[in-house]
Amino acid sequence: MLFRSLVALLLAPTLSACGSMDGIGAKILTGGAEPKEMDPKIWAATPVCPEITIRDGTEFLPIFEPGKQGDIASIRFQANVQRVARDCDDVGGQIRVRVGAAGRVLSGPKGATGSVTIPVRVVAAVGDKVLYSKLIPTSVDVQAPDFSALWSVVDDGLFLSVQDSHQADIWVGLDGKGETKAPPRRSGK
C-alpha cells in the first residue's frame, strides 16, 4: 500500500505534463516547427463530404384520403423524417455520396392500416443550381397493434466533382408536391 502511494506521488507531476501542449510536448508533436497554412491548390484538389440536412418544411407529410386533401379529419397516415446521414468515397476523381434517411409512418386520426407509399426526395445543389434530384417512393406497411412503421432508404447514385463537393448542399425530405428546385441556401456558407 505504501509502495502504491509512493509511485502515484512520483508519477503525478509526470502525467500532468502529458496533457499540456506548451513547452517540450508541443515541440515533440510539431517537430519543433510552427504550423503552416495549407496550400490553396491542395485544398481545391481535396474532396469534401458535403453536409446533409432535412429540408425545412419537408420533415413531415400528412397523407389524406383520396379527394380530401387538406381535411385534417381525413388524414390516413402521417410520415416524418427523423434521421439523415451521408458517407462519401473518392471514385476516380469524383465523390460518390451515399445518402441515408429514416423515419416513421403513423396512422392518422382514423387509425388507418395498410400499405402506403411515401415520397422521399434527395437533392444536391450549389446555390440555385440543382446538381441532383431523385424521388424515391418508399413503401411502408402500417399494421395494428402499433399503428406505426419505420422506413429507411439509401441512395447511392449521387456523384459530385471535387469542386462541387466544396460548395454543395444536400437535402432530404418528404416531397408531396414533386418539387425539384433547390431550397434556399443556408446562412453561414
Side-chain angles (χ1 to χ4, degrees):
M1 183 70 155
L2 179 63
F3 178 71
R4 286 186 189 163
S5 298
L6 185 58
V7 169
L9 187 60
L10 292 174
L11 285 177
T14 305
L15 293 175
S16 68
C18 289
S20 158
M21 281 306 292
D22 55 347
I24 195 163
K27 288 182 182 176
I28 290 172
L29 291 176
T30 62
E34 292 294 317
K36 295 181 183 178
E37 292 277 329
M38 180 180 249
D39 182 350
K41 291 178 185 175
I42 293 173
W43 170 248
T46 304
V48 174
C49 195
E51 288 186 38
I52 180 172
T53 56
I54 300 170
R55 181 177 175 184
D56 287 342
T58 67
E59 58 275 292
F60 171 80
L61 179 68
I63 300 167
F64 297 92
E65 290 180 359
K68 298 187 178 181
Q69 196 73 8
D71 179 6
I72 294 176
S74 298
I75 295 175
R76 293 191 67 226
F77 300 100
Q78 303 171 77
N80 67 29
V81 181
Q82 296 175 334
R83 293 188 179 110
V84 292
R86 91 298 192 211
D87 179 49
C88 299
D89 290 322
D90 188 353
V91 180
Q94 287 189 312
I95 307 307
R96 179 180 63 187
V97 184
R98 284 185 297 275
V99 176
R104 179 177 295 275
V105 176
L106 303 167
S107 290
K110 294 189 174 190
T113 59
S115 183
V116 61
T117 300
I118 57 169
V120 180
R121 180 162 308 269
V122 175
V123 175
V126 172
D128 291 337
K129 181 182 175 188
V130 175
L131 304 174
Y132 179 85
S133 179
K134 183 176 182 182
L135 185 64
I136 307 166
T138 305
S139 184
V140 181
D141 193 30
V142 178
Q143 296 298 326
D146 294 339
F147 294 94
S148 71
L150 299 175
W151 63 267
S152 65
V153 296
V154 175
D155 178 13
D156 61 358
L158 173 54
F159 290 84
L160 298 172
S161 69
V162 173
Q163 179 183 359
D164 285 340
S165 76
H166 286 262
Q167 303 169 3
D169 290 306
I170 301 172
W171 289 276
V172 173
L174 299 176
D175 186 356
K177 299 177 185 176
E179 293 181 348
T180 58
K181 65 181 182 177
R185 193 150 174 92
R186 294 188 313 268
S187 60
K189 264 200 167 179

PDB file of all heavy atoms in Angstrom, residues 104-120:
ATOM      1  N   ARG A 104     -40.551   7.483 -39.652  1.00  0.00           N
ATOM      2  CA  ARG A 104     -41.675   6.684 -39.160  1.00  0.00           C
ATOM      3  C   ARG A 104     -42.951   7.139 -39.862  1.00  0.00           C
ATOM      4  O   ARG A 104     -43.105   8.301 -40.220  1.00  0.00           O
ATOM      5  CB  ARG A 104     -41.808   6.892 -37.651  1.00  0.00           C
ATOM      6  CG  ARG A 104     -42.961   6.150 -37.001  1.00  0.00           C
ATOM      7  CD  ARG A 104     -42.982   6.354 -35.493  1.00  0.00           C
ATOM      8  NE  ARG A 104     -41.840   5.804 -34.811  1.00  0.00           N
ATOM      9  CZ  ARG A 104     -41.742   4.524 -34.421  1.00  0.00           C
ATOM     10  NH1 ARG A 104     -42.708   3.683 -34.652  1.00  0.00           N
ATOM     11  NH2 ARG A 104     -40.669   4.105 -33.785  1.00  0.00           N
ATOM     12  N   VAL A 105     -43.866   6.195 -40.043  1.00  0.00           N
ATOM     13  CA  VAL A 105     -45.210   6.489 -40.537  1.00  0.00           C
ATOM     14  C   VAL A 105     -46.181   6.069 -39.442  1.00  0.00           C
ATOM     15  O   VAL A 105     -46.100   4.954 -38.926  1.00  0.00           O
ATOM     16  CB  VAL A 105     -45.521   5.728 -41.840  1.00  0.00           C
ATOM     17  CG1 VAL A 105     -46.952   5.988 -42.270  1.00  0.00           C
ATOM     18  CG2 VAL A 105     -44.560   6.134 -42.943  1.00  0.00           C
ATOM     19  N   LEU A 106     -47.065   6.979 -39.083  1.00  0.00           N
ATOM     20  CA  LEU A 106     -48.081   6.722 -38.058  1.00  0.00           C
ATOM     21  C   LEU A 106     -49.466   6.756 -38.694  1.00  0.00           C
ATOM     22  O   LEU A 106     -49.690   7.483 -39.667  1.00  0.00           O
ATOM     23  CB  LEU A 106     -48.031   7.796 -36.974  1.00  0.00           C
ATOM     24  CG  LEU A 106     -46.713   8.003 -36.256  1.00  0.00           C
ATOM     25  CD1 LEU A 106     -46.747   9.291 -35.453  1.00  0.00           C
ATOM     26  CD2 LEU A 106     -46.430   6.822 -35.361  1.00  0.00           C
ATOM     27  N   SER A 107     -50.401   6.017 -38.114  1.00  0.00           N
ATOM     28  CA  SER A 107     -51.794   6.119 -38.551  1.00  0.00           C
ATOM     29  C   SER A 107     -52.326   7.494 -38.190  1.00  0.00           C
ATOM     30  O   SER A 107     -51.953   8.074 -37.179  1.00  0.00           O
ATOM     31  CB  SER A 107     -52.643   5.054 -37.862  1.00  0.00           C
ATOM     32  OG  SER A 107     -52.316   3.788 -38.359  1.00  0.00           O
ATOM     33  N   GLY A 108     -53.221   7.987 -39.024  1.00  0.00           N
ATOM     34  CA  GLY A 108     -53.853   9.274 -38.768  1.00  0.00           C
ATOM     35  C   GLY A 108     -55.005   9.148 -37.792  1.00  0.00           C
ATOM     36  O   GLY A 108     -55.168   8.115 -37.131  1.00  0.00           O
ATOM     37  N   PRO A 109     -55.827  10.188 -37.689  1.00  0.00           N
ATOM     38  CA  PRO A 109     -56.939  10.204 -36.735  1.00  0.00           C
ATOM     39  C   PRO A 109     -57.905   9.029 -36.867  1.00  0.00           C
ATOM     40  O   PRO A 109     -58.526   8.616 -35.899  1.00  0.00           O
ATOM     41  CB  PRO A 109     -57.658  11.525 -37.042  1.00  0.00           C
ATOM     42  CG  PRO A 109     -56.632  12.377 -37.679  1.00  0.00           C
ATOM     43  CD  PRO A 109     -55.715  11.443 -38.416  1.00  0.00           C
ATOM     44  N   LYS A 110     -58.042   8.481 -38.062  1.00  0.00           N
ATOM     45  CA  LYS A 110     -58.972   7.373 -38.264  1.00  0.00           C
ATOM     46  C   LYS A 110     -58.338   6.010 -37.981  1.00  0.00           C
ATOM     47  O   LYS A 110     -59.000   4.993 -38.130  1.00  0.00           O
ATOM     48  CB  LYS A 110     -59.529   7.411 -39.683  1.00  0.00           C
ATOM     49  CG  LYS A 110     -60.396   8.636 -39.921  1.00  0.00           C
ATOM     50  CD  LYS A 110     -61.092   8.545 -41.238  1.00  0.00           C
ATOM     51  CE  LYS A 110     -62.044   9.725 -41.353  1.00  0.00           C
ATOM     52  NZ  LYS A 110     -62.936   9.607 -42.481  1.00  0.00           N
ATOM     53  N   GLY A 111     -57.063   5.980 -37.610  1.00  0.00           N
ATOM     54  CA  GLY A 111     -56.399   4.718 -37.304  1.00  0.00           C
ATOM     55  C   GLY A 111     -56.247   3.807 -38.502  1.00  0.00           C
ATOM     56  O   GLY A 111     -56.444   2.596 -38.408  1.00  0.00           O
ATOM     57  N   ALA A 112     -55.909   4.368 -39.641  1.00  0.00           N
ATOM     58  CA  ALA A 112     -55.778   3.583 -40.869  1.00  0.00           C
ATOM     59  C   ALA A 112     -54.640   2.583 -40.766  1.00  0.00           C
ATOM     60  O   ALA A 112     -53.648   2.813 -40.068  1.00  0.00           O
ATOM     61  CB  ALA A 112     -55.551   4.518 -42.059  1.00  0.00           C
ATOM     62  N   THR A 113     -54.781   1.466 -41.451  1.00  0.00           N
ATOM     63  CA  THR A 113     -53.714   0.472 -41.562  1.00  0.00           C
ATOM     64  C   THR A 113     -53.565   0.118 -43.032  1.00  0.00           C
ATOM     65  O   THR A 113     -54.426   0.437 -43.851  1.00  0.00           O
ATOM     66  CB  THR A 113     -54.027  -0.813 -40.756  1.00  0.00           C
ATOM     67  OG1 THR A 113     -55.246  -1.374 -41.242  1.00  0.00           O
ATOM     68  CG2 THR A 113     -54.126  -0.516 -39.270  1.00  0.00           C
ATOM     69  N   GLY A 114     -52.460  -0.532 -43.347  1.00  0.00           N
ATOM     70  CA  GLY A 114     -52.228  -0.971 -44.718  1.00  0.00           C
ATOM     71  C   GLY A 114     -50.947  -0.394 -45.274  1.00  0.00           C
ATOM     72  O   GLY A 114     -50.140   0.216 -44.570  1.00  0.00           O
ATOM     73  N   SER A 115     -50.778  -0.598 -46.562  1.00  0.00           N
ATOM     74  CA  SER A 115     -49.565  -0.148 -47.242  1.00  0.00           C
ATOM     75  C   SER A 115     -49.733   1.290 -47.720  1.00  0.00           C
ATOM     76  O   SER A 115     -50.791   1.667 -48.215  1.00  0.00           O
ATOM     77  CB  SER A 115     -49.282  -1.067 -48.426  1.00  0.00           C
ATOM     78  OG  SER A 115     -48.082  -0.695 -49.052  1.00  0.00           O
ATOM     79  N   VAL A 116     -48.681   2.058 -47.552  1.00  0.00           N
ATOM     80  CA  VAL A 116     -48.675   3.444 -48.007  1.00  0.00           C
ATOM     81  C   VAL A 116     -47.312   3.733 -48.626  1.00  0.00           C
ATOM     82  O   VAL A 116     -46.291   3.204 -48.175  1.00  0.00           O
ATOM     83  CB  VAL A 116     -48.982   4.430 -46.849  1.00  0.00           C
ATOM     84  CG1 VAL A 116     -47.957   4.333 -45.758  1.00  0.00           C
ATOM     85  CG2 VAL A 116     -49.091   5.861 -47.353  1.00  0.00           C
ATOM     86  N   THR A 117     -47.299   4.522 -49.683  1.00  0.00           N
ATOM     87  CA  THR A 117     -46.044   4.916 -50.325  1.00  0.00           C
ATOM     88  C   THR A 117     -45.746   6.353 -49.954  1.00  0.00           C
ATOM     89  O   THR A 117     -46.589   7.238 -50.141  1.00  0.00           O
ATOM     90  CB  THR A 117     -46.148   4.764 -51.853  1.00  0.00           C
ATOM     91  OG1 THR A 117     -46.431   3.398 -52.154  1.00  0.00           O
ATOM     92  CG2 THR A 117     -44.845   5.167 -52.523  1.00  0.00           C
ATOM     93  N   ILE A 118     -44.539   6.562 -49.425  1.00  0.00           N
ATOM     94  CA  ILE A 118     -44.139   7.930 -49.080  1.00  0.00           C
ATOM     95  C   ILE A 118     -43.052   8.384 -50.053  1.00  0.00           C
ATOM     96  O   ILE A 118     -42.166   7.618 -50.416  1.00  0.00           O
ATOM     97  CB  ILE A 118     -43.676   8.044 -47.614  1.00  0.00           C
ATOM     98  CG1 ILE A 118     -42.531   7.093 -47.310  1.00  0.00           C
ATOM     99  CG2 ILE A 118     -44.814   7.797 -46.662  1.00  0.00           C
ATOM    100  CD1 ILE A 118     -41.875   7.336 -45.983  1.00  0.00           C
ATOM    101  N   PRO A 119     -43.126   9.650 -50.486  1.00  0.00           N
ATOM    102  CA  PRO A 119     -42.183  10.180 -51.463  1.00  0.00           C
ATOM    103  C   PRO A 119     -40.967  10.829 -50.778  1.00  0.00           C
ATOM    104  O   PRO A 119     -41.058  11.924 -50.238  1.00  0.00           O
ATOM    105  CB  PRO A 119     -43.005  11.223 -52.215  1.00  0.00           C
ATOM    106  CG  PRO A 119     -43.996  11.701 -51.178  1.00  0.00           C
ATOM    107  CD  PRO A 119     -44.253  10.548 -50.266  1.00  0.00           C
ATOM    108  N   VAL A 120     -39.831  10.162 -50.806  1.00  0.00           N
ATOM    109  CA  VAL A 120     -38.599  10.693 -50.208  1.00  0.00           C
ATOM    110  C   VAL A 120     -37.768  11.295 -51.336  1.00  0.00           C
ATOM    111  O   VAL A 120     -37.514  10.640 -52.348  1.00  0.00           O
ATOM    112  CB  VAL A 120     -37.801   9.581 -49.498  1.00  0.00           C
ATOM    113  CG1 VAL A 120     -36.533  10.141 -48.889  1.00  0.00           C
ATOM    114  CG2 VAL A 120     -38.665   8.896 -48.447  1.00  0.00           C
TER     115      VAL A 120
END
